[in-house]
């Protein structure tokens, strides 16, 4: 099944934008990086993934971003650099950019209005609660729940329950595909 992508999204680099089957991207989302979204994943309304065409954002299979999530693959250093847009052709002026890809594994999720800073790898099964702040280079554990400002470990996630639901969903997808 083809993905559903709202016509009310802004995708700055469509040549580097891929979305897996059964996935949905809701209204008013903004993307200014390379983007790869997996199968059966959802990006709710009002999300922003920014950082320029040199950076990559990956959302794994069976994963989601809730409304209002902001993911930064590049950010200004507010202490050491000018905080402004540098016009094309003016060369390198900023010396301390905070930059790095944000890669989210399979079965991951981020709650509403959370912020993720650059250079983070969120491992399989890890979820982040609403209104959380993820600093750059955070070291996550797989199959864990994090929340807070800044985030902290809350508890282990129930991998057995999630995987049982995944297996049930996969069976239904297979049956649906065979009936087409």
């Amino acid at each position: 099944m083809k993905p559903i992508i709202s016509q009310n999204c802004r995708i700055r680099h469509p040549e580097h934008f891929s979305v897996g089957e059964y996935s949905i991207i809701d209204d008013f989302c903004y993307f200014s990086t390379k983007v790869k979204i997996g199968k059966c994943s959802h990006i709710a309304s009002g999300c922003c993934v920014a950082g320029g065409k040199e950076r990559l954002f990956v959302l794994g299979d069976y994963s989601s971003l809730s409304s209002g999530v902001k993911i930064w693959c590049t950010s200004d250093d507010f202490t050491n650099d000018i905080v402004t847009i540098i016009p094309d052709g003016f060369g390198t002026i900023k010396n301390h950019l905070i930059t790095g890809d944000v890669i989210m594994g399979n079965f991951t999720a981020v709650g509403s209005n959370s912020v993720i800073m650059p250079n983070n790898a969120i491992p399989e099964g890890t979820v982040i609660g609403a209104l959380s702040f993820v600093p750059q280079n955070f070291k996550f554990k797989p199959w864990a729940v994090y929340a807070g400002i800044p985030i902290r470990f809350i508890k282990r996630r129930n991998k057995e329950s999630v995987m049982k639901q995944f297996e049930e969903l996969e069976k239904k997808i297979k049956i649906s595909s065979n009936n087409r």
Side-chain angles (χ1 to χ4, degrees):
M1 170 132 192
K2 286 181 64 169
I4 298 170
I5 303 170
S6 169
Q7 293 183 343
N8 295 314
C9 289
R10 173 77 162 97
I11 301 167
R12 293 196 61 180
H13 306 288
E15 68 279 13
H16 299 292
F17 193 86
S18 69
V19 181
E21 59 184 6
Y22 296 100
S23 291
I24 298 173
I25 301 174
D26 288 338
D27 291 342
F28 313 115
C29 293
Y30 173 77
F31 302 92
S32 72
T33 63
K34 296 175 187 171
V35 173
K36 183 174 188 257
I37 298 166
K39 174 182 177 180
C40 291
S41 292
H42 180 228
I43 297 180
S45 63
C47 290
C48 174
V49 178
K53 65 183 173 184
E54 300 80 23
R55 299 274 49 111
L56 172 66
F57 168 69
V58 175
L59 181 64
D61 297 338
Y62 309 96
S63 297
S64 67
L65 302 181
S66 297
S67 292
V69 169
K70 308 296 184 241
I71 296 179
W72 303 107
C73 294
T74 300
S75 177
D76 286 315
D77 177 329
F78 282 48
T79 301
N80 297 302
D81 283 341
I82 186 170
V83 182
T84 189
I85 292 290
I86 306 298
D88 285 341
F90 284 58
T92 303
I93 293 177
K94 298 178 185 185
N95 298 317
H96 303 94
L97 284 176
I98 301 164
T99 187
D101 300 336
V102 174
I103 311 297
M104 296 179 64
N106 298 335
F107 311 106
T108 56
V110 180
S112 292
N113 296 313
S114 293
V115 175
I116 299 175
M117 294 301 286
N119 203 33
N120 274 295
I122 300 167
E124 180 178 276
T126 298
V127 295
I128 299 165
L131 299 169
S132 294
F133 176 75
V134 180
Q136 70 182 65
N137 304 312
F138 190 83
K139 302 301 178 215
F140 291 92
K141 297 176 187 175
W143 292 98
V145 177
Y146 291 88
I149 302 174
I151 61 169
R152 66 188 184 290
F153 176 81
I154 303 298
K155 63 183 174 182
R156 302 291 308 156
R157 191 161 177 226
N158 189 337
K159 181 178 179 179
E160 183 180 323
S161 176
V162 172
M163 295 312 290
K164 187 175 181 179
Q165 293 167 21
F166 159 69
E167 289 167 7
E168 185 178 333
L169 177 58
E170 279 291 288
K171 286 178 190 173
K172 291 181 180 191
I173 288 172
K174 187 175 182 179
I175 290 168
S176 175
S177 295
N178 289 339
N179 290 335
R180 281 192 233 160

